[in-house]
PDB file of all heavy atoms in Angstrom:
ATOM      1  N   PRO A1033     -11.589 -26.918  31.574  1.00 70.00           N
ATOM      2  CA  PRO A1033     -12.168 -26.630  30.251  1.00 70.00           C
ATOM      3  C   PRO A1033     -11.116 -25.941  29.373  1.00 70.00           C
ATOM      4  O   PRO A1033     -10.452 -25.008  29.801  1.00 70.00           O
ATOM      5  CB  PRO A1033     -13.332 -25.702  30.558  1.00 70.00           C
ATOM      6  CG  PRO A1033     -13.095 -25.161  31.920  1.00 70.00           C
ATOM      7  CD  PRO A1033     -12.221 -26.131  32.634  1.00 70.00           C
ATOM      8  N   PHE A1034     -10.973 -26.429  28.189  1.00 70.00           N
ATOM      9  CA  PHE A1034      -9.968 -25.893  27.275  1.00 70.00           C
ATOM     10  C   PHE A1034     -10.554 -25.884  25.872  1.00 70.00           C
ATOM     11  O   PHE A1034     -11.095 -26.879  25.405  1.00 70.00           O
ATOM     12  CB  PHE A1034      -8.707 -26.783  27.318  1.00 70.00           C
ATOM     13  CG  PHE A1034      -7.606 -26.291  26.438  1.00 70.00           C
ATOM     14  CD1 PHE A1034      -6.821 -25.211  26.818  1.00 70.00           C
ATOM     15  CD2 PHE A1034      -7.329 -26.914  25.223  1.00 70.00           C
ATOM     16  CE1 PHE A1034      -5.794 -24.759  26.006  1.00 70.00           C
ATOM     17  CE2 PHE A1034      -6.306 -26.476  24.419  1.00 70.00           C
ATOM     18  CZ  PHE A1034      -5.527 -25.391  24.811  1.00 70.00           C
ATOM     19  N   ASN A1035     -10.463 -24.755  25.217  1.00 75.00           N
ATOM     20  CA  ASN A1035     -10.937 -24.627  23.835  1.00 75.00           C
ATOM     21  C   ASN A1035      -9.842 -23.990  22.988  1.00 75.00           C
ATOM     22  O   ASN A1035      -9.175 -23.049  23.418  1.00 75.00           O
ATOM     23  CB  ASN A1035     -12.183 -23.737  23.759  1.00 75.00           C
ATOM     24  CG  ASN A1035     -13.406 -24.419  24.331  1.00 75.00           C
ATOM     25  OD1 ASN A1035     -13.550 -25.631  24.201  1.00 75.00           O
ATOM     26  ND2 ASN A1035     -14.252 -23.644  24.976  1.00 75.00           N
ATOM     27  N   ILE A1036      -9.717 -24.479  21.805  1.00 77.00           N
ATOM     28  CA  ILE A1036      -8.760 -23.909  20.856  1.00 77.00           C
ATOM     29  C   ILE A1036      -9.479 -22.821  20.081  1.00 77.00           C
ATOM     30  O   ILE A1036     -10.584 -23.029  19.589  1.00 77.00           O
ATOM     31  CB  ILE A1036      -8.241 -24.976  19.881  1.00 77.00           C
ATOM     32  CG1 ILE A1036      -7.539 -26.094  20.650  1.00 77.00           C
ATOM     33  CG2 ILE A1036      -7.308 -24.358  18.864  1.00 77.00           C
ATOM     34  CD1 ILE A1036      -7.149 -27.251  19.779  1.00 77.00           C
ATOM     35  N   ASP A1037      -8.820 -21.686  19.945  1.00 79.00           N
ATOM     36  CA  ASP A1037      -9.380 -20.577  19.166  1.00 79.00           C
ATOM     37  C   ASP A1037      -8.908 -20.716  17.720  1.00 79.00           C
ATOM     38  O   ASP A1037      -7.919 -20.115  17.299  1.00 79.00           O
ATOM     39  CB  ASP A1037      -8.941 -19.239  19.764  1.00 79.00           C
ATOM     40  CG  ASP A1037      -9.671 -18.061  19.149  1.00 79.00           C
ATOM     41  OD1 ASP A1037     -10.540 -18.276  18.274  1.00 79.00           O
ATOM     42  OD2 ASP A1037      -9.364 -16.921  19.546  1.00 79.00           O
ATOM     43  N   HIS A1038      -9.635 -21.546  16.966  1.00 77.00           N
ATOM     44  CA  HIS A1038      -9.254 -21.809  15.572  1.00 77.00           C
ATOM     45  C   HIS A1038      -9.307 -20.539  14.725  1.00 77.00           C
ATOM     46  O   HIS A1038      -8.468 -20.347  13.839  1.00 77.00           O
ATOM     47  CB  HIS A1038     -10.161 -22.886  14.955  1.00 77.00           C
ATOM     48  CG  HIS A1038      -9.984 -24.233  15.558  1.00 77.00           C
ATOM     49  ND1 HIS A1038      -8.889 -25.012  15.295  1.00 77.00           N
ATOM     50  CD2 HIS A1038     -10.762 -24.944  16.413  1.00 77.00           C
ATOM     51  CE1 HIS A1038      -8.988 -26.154  15.956  1.00 77.00           C
ATOM     52  NE2 HIS A1038     -10.118 -26.133  16.654  1.00 77.00           N
ATOM     53  N   ASP A1039     -10.282 -19.677  15.005  1.00 83.00           N
ATOM     54  CA  ASP A1039     -10.406 -18.445  14.213  1.00 83.00           C
ATOM     55  C   ASP A1039      -9.160 -17.557  14.341  1.00 83.00           C
ATOM     56  O   ASP A1039      -8.719 -16.956  13.363  1.00 83.00           O
ATOM     57  CB  ASP A1039     -11.646 -17.653  14.654  1.00 83.00           C
ATOM     58  CG  ASP A1039     -12.942 -18.382  14.292  1.00 83.00           C
ATOM     59  OD1 ASP A1039     -12.910 -19.182  13.333  1.00 83.00           O
ATOM     60  OD2 ASP A1039     -13.962 -18.137  14.973  1.00 83.00           O
ATOM     61  N   ALA A1040      -8.600 -17.488  15.543  1.00 83.00           N
ATOM     62  CA  ALA A1040      -7.401 -16.668  15.744  1.00 83.00           C
ATOM     63  C   ALA A1040      -6.238 -17.226  14.920  1.00 83.00           C
ATOM     64  O   ALA A1040      -5.469 -16.454  14.322  1.00 83.00           O
ATOM     65  CB  ALA A1040      -7.026 -16.632  17.214  1.00 83.00           C
ATOM     66  N   TYR A1041      -6.116 -18.527  14.858  1.00 82.00           N
ATOM     67  CA  TYR A1041      -5.035 -19.115  14.062  1.00 82.00           C
ATOM     68  C   TYR A1041      -5.242 -18.874  12.575  1.00 82.00           C
ATOM     69  O   TYR A1041      -4.298 -18.582  11.851  1.00 82.00           O
ATOM     70  CB  TYR A1041      -4.889 -20.615  14.353  1.00 82.00           C
ATOM     71  CG  TYR A1041      -4.203 -20.869  15.667  1.00 82.00           C
ATOM     72  CD1 TYR A1041      -4.908 -21.335  16.770  1.00 82.00           C
ATOM     73  CD2 TYR A1041      -2.847 -20.637  15.813  1.00 82.00           C
ATOM     74  CE1 TYR A1041      -4.289 -21.562  17.981  1.00 82.00           C
ATOM     75  CE2 TYR A1041      -2.213 -20.861  17.018  1.00 82.00           C
ATOM     76  CZ  TYR A1041      -2.945 -21.318  18.098  1.00 82.00           C
ATOM     77  OH  TYR A1041      -2.315 -21.533  19.286  1.00 82.00           O
ATOM     78  N   TRP A1042      -6.488 -18.997  12.120  1.00 81.00           N
ATOM     79  CA  TRP A1042      -6.760 -18.750  10.704  1.00 81.00           C
ATOM     80  C   TRP A1042      -6.535 -17.275  10.365  1.00 81.00           C
ATOM     81  O   TRP A1042      -6.022 -16.957   9.291  1.00 81.00           O
ATOM     82  CB  TRP A1042      -8.173 -19.189  10.333  1.00 81.00           C
ATOM     83  CG  TRP A1042      -8.291 -20.678  10.284  1.00 81.00           C
ATOM     84  CD1 TRP A1042      -8.969 -21.478  11.148  1.00 81.00           C
ATOM     85  CD2 TRP A1042      -7.676 -21.554   9.334  1.00 81.00           C
ATOM     86  NE1 TRP A1042      -8.812 -22.800  10.810  1.00 81.00           N
ATOM     87  CE2 TRP A1042      -8.023 -22.874   9.687  1.00 81.00           C
ATOM     88  CE3 TRP A1042      -6.857 -21.367   8.230  1.00 81.00           C
ATOM     89  CZ2 TRP A1042      -7.588 -23.979   8.971  1.00 81.00           C
ATOM     90  CZ3 TRP A1042      -6.424 -22.463   7.520  1.00 81.00           C
ATOM     91  CH2 TRP A1042      -6.787 -23.760   7.898  1.00 81.00           C
ATOM     92  N   THR A1043      -6.882 -16.395  11.283  1.00 85.00           N
ATOM     93  CA  THR A1043      -6.628 -14.967  11.066  1.00 85.00           C
ATOM     94  C   THR A1043      -5.130 -14.697  11.016  1.00 85.00           C
ATOM     95  O   THR A1043      -4.654 -13.953  10.149  1.00 85.00           O
ATOM     96  CB  THR A1043      -7.275 -14.135  12.194  1.00 85.00           C
ATOM     97  OG1 THR A1043      -8.667 -14.419  12.246  1.00 85.00           O
ATOM     98  CG2 THR A1043      -7.063 -12.655  11.983  1.00 85.00           C
ATOM     99  N   LEU A1044      -4.379 -15.292  11.926  1.00 80.00           N
ATOM    100  CA  LEU A1044      -2.931 -15.128  11.936  1.00 80.00           C
ATOM    101  C   LEU A1044      -2.309 -15.656  10.640  1.00 80.00           C
ATOM    102  O   LEU A1044      -1.443 -15.005  10.042  1.00 80.00           O
ATOM    103  CB  LEU A1044      -2.316 -15.843  13.146  1.00 80.00           C
ATOM    104  CG  LEU A1044      -0.808 -15.742  13.302  1.00 80.00           C
ATOM    105  CD1 LEU A1044      -0.392 -14.286  13.489  1.00 80.00           C
ATOM    106  CD2 LEU A1044      -0.345 -16.571  14.489  1.00 80.00           C
ATOM    107  N   ARG A1045      -2.761 -16.798  10.193  1.00 78.00           N
ATOM    108  CA  ARG A1045      -2.272 -17.364   8.924  1.00 78.00           C
ATOM    109  C   ARG A1045      -2.574 -16.427   7.758  1.00 78.00           C
ATOM    110  O   ARG A1045      -1.725 -16.195   6.898  1.00 78.00           O
ATOM    111  CB  ARG A1045      -2.951 -18.697   8.657  1.00 78.00           C
ATOM    112  CG  ARG A1045      -2.178 -19.868   9.055  1.00 78.00           C
ATOM    113  CD  ARG A1045      -2.892 -21.080   8.527  1.00 78.00           C
ATOM    114  NE  ARG A1045      -2.107 -22.250   8.785  1.00 78.00           N
ATOM    115  CZ  ARG A1045      -2.541 -23.460   8.599  1.00 78.00           C
ATOM    116  NH1 ARG A1045      -3.766 -23.663   8.150  1.00 78.00           N
ATOM    117  NH2 ARG A1045      -1.771 -24.495   8.844  1.00 78.00           N
ATOM    118  N   GLY A1046      -3.811 -15.933   7.726  1.00 81.00           N
ATOM    119  CA  GLY A1046      -4.212 -15.022   6.642  1.00 81.00           C
ATOM    120  C   GLY A1046      -3.409 -13.738   6.648  1.00 81.00           C
ATOM    121  O   GLY A1046      -2.974 -13.255   5.588  1.00 81.00           O
ATOM    122  N   ASP A1047      -3.182 -13.179   7.857  1.00 80.00           N
ATOM    123  CA  ASP A1047      -2.386 -11.949   7.954  1.00 80.00           C
ATOM    124  C   ASP A1047      -0.947 -12.189   7.498  1.00 80.00           C
ATOM    125  O   ASP A1047      -0.370 -11.368   6.770  1.00 80.00           O
ATOM    126  CB  ASP A1047      -2.385 -11.424   9.389  1.00 80.00           C
ATOM    127  CG  ASP A1047      -3.741 -10.870   9.809  1.00 80.00           C
ATOM    128  OD1 ASP A1047      -4.602 -10.664   8.926  1.00 80.00           O
ATOM    129  OD2 ASP A1047      -3.930 -10.666  11.030  1.00 80.00           O
ATOM    130  N   ALA A1048      -0.378 -13.305   7.901  1.00 76.00           N
ATOM    131  CA  ALA A1048       0.999 -13.620   7.503  1.00 76.00           C
ATOM    132  C   ALA A1048       1.087 -13.847   5.994  1.00 76.00           C
ATOM    133  O   ALA A1048       2.033 -13.390   5.342  1.00 76.00           O
ATOM    134  CB  ALA A1048       1.502 -14.845   8.246  1.00 76.00           C
ATOM    135  N   ALA A1049       0.093 -14.524   5.437  1.00 76.00           N
ATOM    136  CA  ALA A1049       0.098 -14.763   3.993  1.00 76.00           C
ATOM    137  C   ALA A1049      -0.077 -13.449   3.231  1.00 76.00           C
ATOM    138  O   ALA A1049       0.564 -13.229   2.195  1.00 76.00           O
ATOM    139  CB  ALA A1049      -1.012 -15.741   3.616  1.00 76.00           C
ATOM    140  N   GLN A1050      -0.936 -12.575   3.750  1.00 78.00           N
ATOM    141  CA  GLN A1050      -1.151 -11.280   3.104  1.00 78.00           C
ATOM    142  C   GLN A1050       0.133 -10.440   3.170  1.00 78.00           C
ATOM    143  O   GLN A1050       0.506  -9.814   2.187  1.00 78.00           O
ATOM    144  CB  GLN A1050      -2.302 -10.541   3.777  1.00 78.00           C
ATOM    145  CG  GLN A1050      -2.680  -9.252   3.103  1.00 78.00           C
ATOM    146  CD  GLN A1050      -3.839  -8.562   3.804  1.00 78.00           C
ATOM    147  OE1 GLN A1050      -4.206  -8.925   4.911  1.00 78.00           O
ATOM    148  NE2 GLN A1050      -4.393  -7.568   3.157  1.00 78.00           N
ATOM    149  N   PHE A1051       0.789 -10.456   4.314  1.00 73.00           N
ATOM    150  CA  PHE A1051       2.059  -9.743   4.458  1.00 73.00           C
ATOM    151  C   PHE A1051       3.085 -10.289   3.476  1.00 73.00           C
ATOM    152  O   PHE A1051       3.773  -9.546   2.794  1.00 73.00           O
ATOM    153  CB  PHE A1051       2.565  -9.876   5.894  1.00 73.00           C
ATOM    154  CG  PHE A1051       3.918  -9.263   6.109  1.00 73.00           C
ATOM    155  CD1 PHE A1051       4.052  -7.898   6.270  1.00 73.00           C
ATOM    156  CD2 PHE A1051       5.059 -10.062   6.153  1.00 73.00           C
ATOM    157  CE1 PHE A1051       5.296  -7.333   6.470  1.00 73.00           C
ATOM    158  CE2 PHE A1051       6.300  -9.501   6.349  1.00 73.00           C
ATOM    159  CZ  PHE A1051       6.424  -8.131   6.509  1.00 73.00           C
ATOM    160  N   ASP A1052       3.164 -11.591   3.381  1.00 68.00           N
ATOM    161  CA  ASP A1052       4.108 -12.234   2.472  1.00 68.00           C
ATOM    162  C   ASP A1052       3.788 -11.887   1.026  1.00 68.00           C
ATOM    163  O   ASP A1052       4.679 -11.642   0.220  1.00 68.00           O
ATOM    164  CB  ASP A1052       4.084 -13.749   2.691  1.00 68.00           C
ATOM    165  CG  ASP A1052       5.254 -14.441   2.034  1.00 68.00           C
ATOM    166  OD1 ASP A1052       6.366 -13.868   2.053  1.00 68.00           O
ATOM    167  OD2 ASP A1052       5.067 -15.546   1.500  1.00 68.00           O
ATOM    168  N   HIS A1053       2.494 -11.848   0.687  1.00 67.00           N
ATOM    169  CA  HIS A1053       2.077 -11.535  -0.681  1.00 67.00           C
ATOM    170  C   HIS A1053       2.451 -10.087  -1.028  1.00 67.00           C
ATOM    171  O   HIS A1053       2.947  -9.820  -2.123  1.00 67.00           O
ATOM    172  CB  HIS A1053       0.563 -11.751  -0.830  1.00 67.00           C
ATOM    173  CG  HIS A1053       0.040 -11.441  -2.189  1.00 67.00           C
ATOM    174  ND1 HIS A1053       0.377 -12.187  -3.295  1.00 67.00           N
ATOM    175  CD2 HIS A1053      -0.783 -10.464  -2.621  1.00 67.00           C
ATOM    176  CE1 HIS A1053      -0.221 -11.681  -4.351  1.00 67.00           C
ATOM    177  NE2 HIS A1053      -0.936 -10.632  -3.969  1.00 67.00           N
ATOM    178  N   ARG A1054       2.229  -9.158  -0.100  1.00 66.00           N
ATOM    179  CA  ARG A1054       2.587  -7.760  -0.352  1.00 66.00           C
ATOM    180  C   ARG A1054       4.086  -7.609  -0.512  1.00 66.00           C
ATOM    181  O   ARG A1054       4.551  -6.866  -1.368  1.00 66.00           O
ATOM    182  CB  ARG A1054       2.107  -6.860   0.790  1.00 66.00           C
ATOM    183  CG  ARG A1054       0.668  -6.439   0.652  1.00 66.00           C
ATOM    184  CD  ARG A1054       0.323  -5.427   1.697  1.00 66.00           C
ATOM    185  NE  ARG A1054       0.166  -6.142   2.966  1.00 66.00           N
ATOM    186  CZ  ARG A1054       0.255  -5.596   4.145  1.00 66.00           C
ATOM    187  NH1 ARG A1054       0.499  -4.332   4.273  1.00 66.00           N
ATOM    188  NH2 ARG A1054       0.103  -6.317   5.239  1.00 66.00           N
ATOM    189  N   ARG A1055       4.852  -8.297   0.303  1.00 62.00           N
ATOM    190  CA  ARG A1055       6.299  -8.193   0.231  1.00 62.00           C
ATOM    191  C   ARG A1055       6.833  -8.789  -1.065  1.00 62.00           C
ATOM    192  O   ARG A1055       7.776  -8.284  -1.643  1.00 62.00           O
ATOM    193  CB  ARG A1055       6.959  -8.887   1.431  1.00 62.00           C
ATOM    194  CG  ARG A1055       6.597  -8.336   2.778  1.00 62.00           C
ATOM    195  CD  ARG A1055       6.918  -6.893   2.937  1.00 62.00           C
ATOM    196  NE  ARG A1055       8.342  -6.664   2.891  1.00 62.00           N
ATOM    197  CZ  ARG A1055       8.900  -5.474   2.783  1.00 62.00           C
ATOM    198  NH1 ARG A1055       8.162  -4.412   2.727  1.00 62.00           N
ATOM    199  NH2 ARG A1055      10.196  -5.346   2.750  1.00 62.00           N
ATOM    200  N   SER A1056       6.205  -9.877  -1.540  1.00 60.00           N
ATOM    201  CA  SER A1056       6.712 -10.511  -2.762  1.00 60.00           C
ATOM    202  C   SER A1056       6.449  -9.631  -3.977  1.00 60.00           C
ATOM    203  O   SER A1056       7.194  -9.688  -4.948  1.00 60.00           O
ATOM    204  CB  SER A1056       6.083 -11.890  -2.946  1.00 60.00           C
ATOM    205  OG  SER A1056       4.693 -11.774  -3.169  1.00 60.00           O
ATOM    206  N   LYS A1057       5.401  -8.817  -3.937  1.00 59.00           N
ATOM    207  CA  LYS A1057       5.154  -7.899  -5.049  1.00 59.00           C
ATOM    208  C   LYS A1057       6.242  -6.843  -5.141  1.00 59.00           C
ATOM    209  O   LYS A1057       6.611  -6.409  -6.217  1.00 59.00           O
ATOM    210  CB  LYS A1057       3.800  -7.192  -4.870  1.00 59.00           C
ATOM    211  CG  LYS A1057       2.613  -8.013  -5.250  1.00 59.00           C
ATOM    212  CD  LYS A1057       1.359  -7.186  -5.138  1.00 59.00           C
ATOM    213  CE  LYS A1057       0.146  -7.987  -5.536  1.00 59.00           C
ATOM    214  NZ  LYS A1057      -1.093  -7.208  -5.384  1.00 59.00           N
ATOM    215  N   GLN A1058       6.756  -6.404  -3.988  1.00 59.00           N
ATOM    216  CA  GLN A1058       7.761  -5.355  -3.957  1.00 59.00           C
ATOM    217  C   GLN A1058       9.176  -5.897  -4.104  1.00 59.00           C
ATOM    218  O   GLN A1058      10.105  -5.127  -4.263  1.00 59.00           O
ATOM    219  CB  GLN A1058       7.662  -4.596  -2.629  1.00 59.00           C
ATOM    220  CG  GLN A1058       6.341  -3.914  -2.424  1.00 59.00           C
ATOM    221  CD  GLN A1058       6.211  -3.357  -1.014  1.00 59.00           C
ATOM    222  OE1 GLN A1058       7.044  -3.593  -0.152  1.00 59.00           O
ATOM    223  NE2 GLN A1058       5.142  -2.630  -0.775  1.00 59.00           N
ATOM    224  N   ALA A1059       9.335  -7.181  -4.046  1.00 55.00           N
ATOM    225  CA  ALA A1059      10.675  -7.772  -4.041  1.00 55.00           C
ATOM    226  C   ALA A1059      11.329  -7.639  -5.405  1.00 55.00           C
ATOM    227  O   ALA A1059      10.835  -8.162  -6.386  1.00 55.00           O
ATOM    228  CB  ALA A1059      10.604  -9.238  -3.639  1.00 55.00           C
ATOM    229  N   SER A1060      12.403  -6.918  -5.444  1.00 61.00           N
ATOM    230  CA  SER A1060      13.244  -6.849  -6.632  1.00 61.00           C
ATOM    231  C   SER A1060      14.641  -6.469  -6.159  1.00 61.00           C
ATOM    232  O   SER A1060      14.790  -5.649  -5.263  1.00 61.00           O
ATOM    233  CB  SER A1060      12.719  -5.807  -7.621  1.00 61.00           C
ATOM    234  OG  SER A1060      12.770  -4.518  -7.058  1.00 61.00           O
ATOM    235  N   PRO A1061      15.623  -7.085  -6.752  1.00 60.00           N
ATOM    236  CA  PRO A1061      16.982  -6.792  -6.300  1.00 60.00           C
ATOM    237  C   PRO A1061      17.340  -5.332  -6.581  1.00 60.00           C
ATOM    238  O   PRO A1061      16.854  -4.745  -7.543  1.00 60.00           O
ATOM    239  CB  PRO A1061      17.847  -7.745  -7.121  1.00 60.00           C
ATOM    240  CG  PRO A1061      17.002  -8.227  -8.216  1.00 60.00           C
ATOM    241  CD  PRO A1061      15.582  -8.054  -7.813  1.00 60.00           C
ATOM    242  N   PRO A1062      18.171  -4.745  -5.748  1.00 61.00           N
ATOM    243  CA  PRO A1062      18.528  -3.334  -5.938  1.00 61.00           C
ATOM    244  C   PRO A1062      19.371  -3.133  -7.192  1.00 61.00           C
ATOM    245  O   PRO A1062      20.174  -3.980  -7.559  1.00 61.00           O
ATOM    246  CB  PRO A1062      19.324  -2.995  -4.682  1.00 61.00           C
ATOM    247  CG  PRO A1062      19.818  -4.289  -4.173  1.00 61.00           C
ATOM    248  CD  PRO A1062      18.807  -5.322  -4.580  1.00 61.00           C
ATOM    249  N   ARG A1063      19.130  -2.014  -7.826  1.00 69.00           N
ATOM    250  CA  ARG A1063      19.913  -1.642  -9.010  1.00 69.00           C
ATOM    251  C   ARG A1063      20.775  -0.445  -8.647  1.00 69.00           C
ATOM    252  O   ARG A1063      20.490   0.284  -7.720  1.00 69.00           O
ATOM    253  CB  ARG A1063      18.976  -1.259 -10.154  1.00 69.00           C
ATOM    254  CG  ARG A1063      18.052  -2.365 -10.593  1.00 69.00           C
ATOM    255  CD  ARG A1063      17.160  -1.920 -11.745  1.00 69.00           C
ATOM    256  NE  ARG A1063      16.551  -0.627 -11.557  1.00 69.00           N
ATOM    257  CZ  ARG A1063      15.360  -0.414 -11.021  1.00 69.00           C
ATOM    258  NH1 ARG A1063      14.641  -1.411 -10.606  1.00 69.00           N
ATOM    259  NH2 ARG A1063      14.878   0.803 -10.892  1.00 69.00           N
ATOM    260  N   ASP A1064      21.799  -0.245  -9.444  1.00 71.00           N
ATOM    261  CA  ASP A1064      22.623   0.937  -9.229  1.00 71.00           C
ATOM    262  C   ASP A1064      21.860   2.167  -9.690  1.00 71.00           C
ATOM    263  O   ASP A1064      21.043   2.105 -10.614  1.00 71.00           O
ATOM    264  CB  ASP A1064      23.930   0.834 -10.015  1.00 71.00           C
ATOM    265  CG  ASP A1064      24.897  -0.142  -9.372  1.00 71.00           C
ATOM    266  OD1 ASP A1064      24.733  -0.417  -8.165  1.00 71.00           O
ATOM    267  OD2 ASP A1064      25.796  -0.616 -10.077  1.00 71.00           O
ATOM    268  N   ILE A1065      22.136   3.262  -9.054  1.00 75.00           N
ATOM    269  CA  ILE A1065      21.503   4.528  -9.378  1.00 75.00           C
ATOM    270  C   ILE A1065      22.212   5.127 -10.591  1.00 75.00           C
ATOM    271  O   ILE A1065      23.445   5.070 -10.680  1.00 75.00           O
ATOM    272  CB  ILE A1065      21.624   5.500  -8.178  1.00 75.00           C
ATOM    273  CG1 ILE A1065      21.010   4.884  -6.932  1.00 75.00           C
ATOM    274  CG2 ILE A1065      21.005   6.847  -8.487  1.00 75.00           C
ATOM    275  CD1 ILE A1065      19.556   4.587  -7.037  1.00 75.00           C
ATOM    276  N   PRO A1066      21.469   5.707 -11.530  1.00 79.00           N
ATOM    277  CA  PRO A1066      22.143   6.374 -12.651  1.00 79.00           C
ATOM    278  C   PRO A1066      23.062   7.484 -12.150  1.00 79.00           C
ATOM    279  O   PRO A1066      22.737   8.192 -11.197  1.00 79.00           O
ATOM    280  CB  PRO A1066      20.987   6.966 -13.467  1.00 79.00           C
ATOM    281  CG  PRO A1066      19.784   6.214 -13.048  1.00 79.00           C
ATOM    282  CD  PRO A1066      20.026   5.763 -11.643  1.00 79.00           C
ATOM    283  N   GLN A1067      24.192   7.609 -12.775  1.00 79.00           N
ATOM    284  CA  GLN A1067      25.193   8.596 -12.360  1.00 79.00           C
ATOM    285  C   GLN A1067      25.101   9.849 -13.235  1.00 79.00           C
ATOM    286  O   GLN A1067      24.924   9.756 -14.447  1.00 79.00           O
ATOM    287  CB  GLN A1067      26.596   8.006 -12.505  1.00 79.00           C
ATOM    288  CG  GLN A1067      26.853   6.798 -11.644  1.00 79.00           C
ATOM    289  CD  GLN A1067      27.015   7.185 -10.190  1.00 79.00           C
ATOM    290  OE1 GLN A1067      27.661   8.156  -9.861  1.00 79.00           O
ATOM    291  NE2 GLN A1067      26.391   6.416  -9.316  1.00 79.00           N
ATOM    292  N   ILE A1068      25.244  11.004 -12.601  1.00 80.00           N
ATOM    293  CA  ILE A1068      25.327  12.263 -13.338  1.00 80.00           C
ATOM    294  C   ILE A1068      26.802  12.531 -13.573  1.00 80.00           C
ATOM    295  O   ILE A1068      27.598  12.539 -12.640  1.00 80.00           O
ATOM    296  CB  ILE A1068      24.673  13.410 -12.549  1.00 80.00           C
ATOM    297  CG1 ILE A1068      23.188  13.138 -12.379  1.00 80.00           C
ATOM    298  CG2 ILE A1068      24.911  14.737 -13.259  1.00 80.00           C
ATOM    299  CD1 ILE A1068      22.474  14.141 -11.513  1.00 80.00           C
ATOM    300  N   LYS A1069      27.145  12.737 -14.826  1.00 81.00           N
ATOM    301  CA  LYS A1069      28.547  12.920 -15.194  1.00 81.00           C
ATOM    302  C   LYS A1069      28.701  14.188 -16.020  1.00 81.00           C
ATOM    303  O   LYS A1069      27.729  14.744 -16.523  1.00 81.00           O
ATOM    304  CB  LYS A1069      29.042  11.729 -16.035  1.00 81.00           C
ATOM    305  CG  LYS A1069      28.907  10.385 -15.379  1.00 81.00           C
ATOM    306  CD  LYS A1069      30.122  10.066 -14.590  1.00 81.00           C
ATOM    307  CE  LYS A1069      29.970   8.666 -14.012  1.00 81.00           C
ATOM    308  NZ  LYS A1069      31.193   8.090 -13.634  1.00 81.00           N
ATOM    309  N   LEU A1070      29.940  14.607 -16.158  1.00 79.00           N
ATOM    310  CA  LEU A1070      30.292  15.732 -17.022  1.00 79.00           C
ATOM    311  C   LEU A1070      31.051  15.220 -18.225  1.00 79.00           C
ATOM    312  O   LEU A1070      31.861  14.313 -18.121  1.00 79.00           O
ATOM    313  CB  LEU A1070      31.186  16.727 -16.280  1.00 79.00           C
ATOM    314  CG  LEU A1070      30.547  17.601 -15.227  1.00 79.00           C
ATOM    315  CD1 LEU A1070      31.599  18.458 -14.550  1.00 79.00           C
ATOM    316  CD2 LEU A1070      29.475  18.472 -15.815  1.00 79.00           C
ATOM    317  N   ARG A1071      30.762  15.826 -19.354  1.00 81.00           N
ATOM    318  CA  ARG A1071      31.477  15.474 -20.573  1.00 81.00           C
ATOM    319  C   ARG A1071      31.958  16.788 -21.191  1.00 81.00           C
ATOM    320  O   ARG A1071      31.181  17.735 -21.306  1.00 81.00           O
ATOM    321  CB  ARG A1071      30.525  14.697 -21.469  1.00 81.00           C
ATOM    322  CG  ARG A1071      30.770  14.795 -22.909  1.00 81.00           C
ATOM    323  CD  ARG A1071      29.900  13.902 -23.770  1.00 81.00           C
ATOM    324  NE  ARG A1071      28.477  14.162 -23.652  1.00 81.00           N
ATOM    325  CZ  ARG A1071      27.557  13.214 -23.711  1.00 81.00           C
ATOM    326  NH1 ARG A1071      27.889  11.969 -23.868  1.00 81.00           N
ATOM    327  NH2 ARG A1071      26.285  13.520 -23.629  1.00 81.00           N
ATOM    328  N   PRO A1072      33.229  16.856 -21.573  1.00 76.00           N
ATOM    329  CA  PRO A1072      33.730  18.095 -22.170  1.00 76.00           C
ATOM    330  C   PRO A1072      33.057  18.370 -23.517  1.00 76.00           C
ATOM    331  O   PRO A1072      32.706  17.444 -24.255  1.00 76.00           O
ATOM    332  CB  PRO A1072      35.220  17.847 -22.354  1.00 76.00           C
ATOM    333  CG  PRO A1072      35.446  16.409 -22.106  1.00 76.00           C
ATOM    334  CD  PRO A1072      34.236  15.828 -21.459  1.00 76.00           C
ATOM    335  N   VAL A1073      32.854  19.641 -23.771  1.00 77.00           N
ATOM    336  CA  VAL A1073      32.228  20.065 -25.027  1.00 77.00           C
ATOM    337  C   VAL A1073      33.254  20.888 -25.796  1.00 77.00           C
ATOM    338  O   VAL A1073      33.849  21.814 -25.246  1.00 77.00           O
ATOM    339  CB  VAL A1073      30.966  20.926 -24.750  1.00 77.00           C
ATOM    340  CG1 VAL A1073      30.375  21.437 -26.039  1.00 77.00           C
ATOM    341  CG2 VAL A1073      29.955  20.141 -23.966  1.00 77.00           C
ATOM    342  N   LEU A1074      33.444  20.545 -27.028  1.00 75.00           N
ATOM    343  CA  LEU A1074      34.352  21.315 -27.877  1.00 75.00           C
ATOM    344  C   LEU A1074      33.566  22.487 -28.464  1.00 75.00           C
ATOM    345  O   LEU A1074      32.532  22.294 -29.091  1.00 75.00           O
ATOM    346  CB  LEU A1074      34.922  20.438 -28.989  1.00 75.00           C
ATOM    347  CG  LEU A1074      35.750  19.236 -28.516  1.00 75.00           C
ATOM    348  CD1 LEU A1074      36.155  18.371 -29.683  1.00 75.00           C
ATOM    349  CD2 LEU A1074      36.965  19.703 -27.749  1.00 75.00           C
TER     350      LEU A1074
END
């Protein structure tokens, strides 16, 4: 006797898609950090 657990596959697909969706919202290329500098004052 052999049965496929379709629900487990659909859950796995949904979890992977949800993970991918969360990651795509946060995806942005890194930017340089603003630099603190000194400037002479007359």
